Amino acid sequence: MPFAFKTVPHIVFETGAAARLGEIVSGRMKRPIVVTDRFLLDAGLVAPALKSLEAAGMTPTVYSDCAADPPAPVVRKAVAAAKEAKADGIIGLGGGSSMDTAKVVAILMNSGQTLEDVYGMDKVAGPRPPMVMIPTTAGTGSEVTNISVVTTEDDQKIGILADQLYADIAILDASLTLGLPRETTAATGIDAMVHAIEAFTSKVKKNPVSDALAKEALRLLAGNIVKACTARDDLAAREAMLLGAMLAGQAFSNAPVAAVHAMAYPIGALFHVPHGLSNSLMLAPVLKFNAEAAAPLYAELAGVVAPEAKGSDAARAKAFIEKITATCKATGVKQRLSDVHISHNDLPRMAEDVMKIERLLRNNPRPMTYDDALRLYQEVL
Ligand SMILES: [Zn+2]
């Protein structure tokens, strides 16, 4: 089977690397804009990176108003800030929302295109300034993907997919993730596990490279997530999570995600539940929904997370689902939609919105109807 695989050309995986950011990006930019959020800025996580840019002779500016599920107006404001600063390089420093915002800033700041012009696949015209991504969560993998997801004014989550969204450099510094609260560590880590699982079972563009990455990602993530949640300063566990999340990002950027994400989107868009938590809420029901159609693939993944499982594909697929569900539960993550204030009356609208996300549903191992979506939401209410 012919296939293509793309990723970021330059990856620096080094604890402490953010403090030598200036050295790493030197020669690529003079007036970088660092796109981040208020929390990280106030927590002092941005300061060492800024200091190193200055020490390397650069004049950085900061945009720190990034918000979760990047709302379109916030993204437009970030683009305007970069123009105003006459930035010649973009540094996304933060979780998925900051990095997704930074990527859109890079593709729009020097082009005549509007945000609406680039919604969808391959709509980005022309080149962009140099772009560097530095994740502070082990989850999204956005540092190595060609995707940004924006929340529109009418509460839909829209993807922007284009090669220009691959960063020039991804810098992975696990020390930035040490202070993450347990709840965020759990939710973002489970999101990364979903990326690995959905890439491995994707009906579209799944290939030997994405498969290898997905398996190793899942081994690292499932093997370390509980440790990272319970011992917050365990650097080895944090490094394994950050590496796993990146490998999962490389996998799903090429073999796209499916129904867990499609069902998570309305939870984020309508109720402002963080992306990682939205995904972790829907993981178990969708795994069970897919169990029969994806049995041989889930059985293969059982070899990674539950090697003791024996027997038929169906038996090992069941062991895989049980192991993943138990691991998620052990992190202490919320389990029910009602825990995030979603009620019975909300479910039909959510299921309707799922049906609009054909871009993701078509990757799912089993077709999903409106009735299926409604039933799965009811199951975890
Ligand atoms: Zn995700």
Side-chain angles (χ1 to χ4, degrees):
M1 280 291 281
F3 72 91
F5 184 87
K6 293 179 183 176
T7 193
V8 165
H10 184 173
I11 292 164
V12 178
F13 189 93
E14 173 192 320
T15 297
R20 58 179 202 89
L21 173 63
E23 188 190 319
I24 296 169
V25 305
S26 175
R28 289 178 187 258
M29 51 188 83
K30 279 272 166 214
R31 302 175 55 83
I33 183 163
V34 178
V35 178
T36 185
D37 67 41
R38 176 64 51 188
F39 174 80
L40 291 169
L41 194 65
D42 290 348
L45 259 73
V46 185
L50 282 177
K51 231 174 95 185
S52 85
L53 291 170
E54 281 159 4
M58 286 170 249
T59 317
T61 50
V62 177
Y63 177 82
S64 61
D65 286 338
C66 289
D69 296 299
V74 173
V75 175
R76 287 192 200 94
K77 261 180 62 192
V79 175
K83 281 185 183 167
E84 165 106 32
K86 297 192 169 53
D88 63 0
I90 317 295
I91 296 168
L93 195 162
S97 302
S98 293
M99 289 191 287
D100 280 13
T101 303
K103 286 153 88 171
V104 181
V105 169
I107 57 171
L108 291 186
M109 71 163 292
N110 291 337
S111 87
Q113 290 185 296
T114 66
L115 183 56
E116 287 73 17
D117 289 342
V118 295
Y119 286 157
M121 201 168 312
D122 293 328
K123 301 281 172 57
V124 179
R128 55 151 179 80
M131 180 168 97
V132 177
M133 291 295 135
I134 310 173
T136 59
T137 60
T140 163
S142 185
E143 69 276 11
V144 289
T145 73
N146 62 341
I147 307 163
S148 280
V149 181
V150 171
T151 306
T152 62
E153 278 82 352
D154 58 347
D155 289 335
Q156 301 293 322
K157 296 197 77 168
I158 305 253
I160 300 166
L161 294 93
D163 283 353
Q164 288 94 330
L165 268 64
Y166 281 119
D168 298 305
I169 311 178
I171 300 174
L172 292 106
D173 176 352
S175 70
L176 298 176
T177 69
L178 277 175
L180 269 188
R182 176 172 183 154
E183 203 177 347
T184 315
T185 303
T188 53
I190 293 169
D191 180 39
M193 285 168 48
V194 177
H195 295 157
I197 296 166
E198 294 209 295
F200 194 76
T201 58
S202 187
K203 271 182 84 176
V204 187
K205 297 184 188 163
K206 170 181 161 65
N207 65 70
V209 182
S210 66
D211 283 354
L213 291 165
K215 277 182 163 176
E216 177 62 3
L218 194 60
R219 188 185 71 79
L220 288 163
L221 294 162
N224 287 280
I225 190 167
V226 177
K227 227 182 292 172
C229 283
T230 47
R232 271 176 58 180
D233 54 356
D234 185 331
L235 185 62
R238 294 289 183 178
E239 286 176 336
M241 292 299 292
L242 194 59
L243 180 59
M246 183 196 75
L247 300 178
Q250 290 179 313
F252 92 84
S253 191
N254 289 276
V257 291
V260 181
H261 273 74
M263 295 202 73
Y265 275 4
I267 302 174
L270 297 172
F271 303 95
H272 307 290
V273 174
H275 175 76
L277 180 55
S278 308
N279 271 283
S280 48
L281 287 165
M282 297 319 301
L283 176 57
V286 175
L287 286 180
K288 275 184 238 149
F289 175 76
N290 286 341
E292 209 179 309
L297 295 173
Y298 287 171
E300 210 177 327
L301 290 179
V304 177
V305 298
E308 68 285 356
K310 298 277 177 293
S312 65
D313 279 358
R316 282 179 298 137
K318 188 165 172 272
F320 165 72
I321 294 171
E322 281 167 2
K323 178 71 179 209
I324 292 292
T325 308
T327 303
C328 293
K329 213 168 176 183
T331 67
V333 77
K334 288 180 178 136
Q335 301 282 314
R336 320 289 317 175
L337 295 179
S338 51
D339 294 338
V340 294
H341 312 296
I342 293 174
S343 82
H344 184 75
N345 297 336
D346 299 317
L347 305 185
R349 158 90 198 267
M350 291 161 63
E352 270 167 39
D353 284 358
V354 172
M355 290 301 108
K356 294 178 196 156
I357 315 174
E358 172 52 28
R359 166 177 86 81
L360 300 183
L361 289 179
R362 67 164 176 254
N363 309 326
N364 202 55
R366 177 178 170 188
M368 181 177 280
T369 65
Y370 170 84
D371 289 341
D372 295 328
L374 188 61
R375 183 168 52 78
L376 294 189
Y377 279 140
Q378 281 161 348
E379 255 176 45
V380 283
L381 185 64

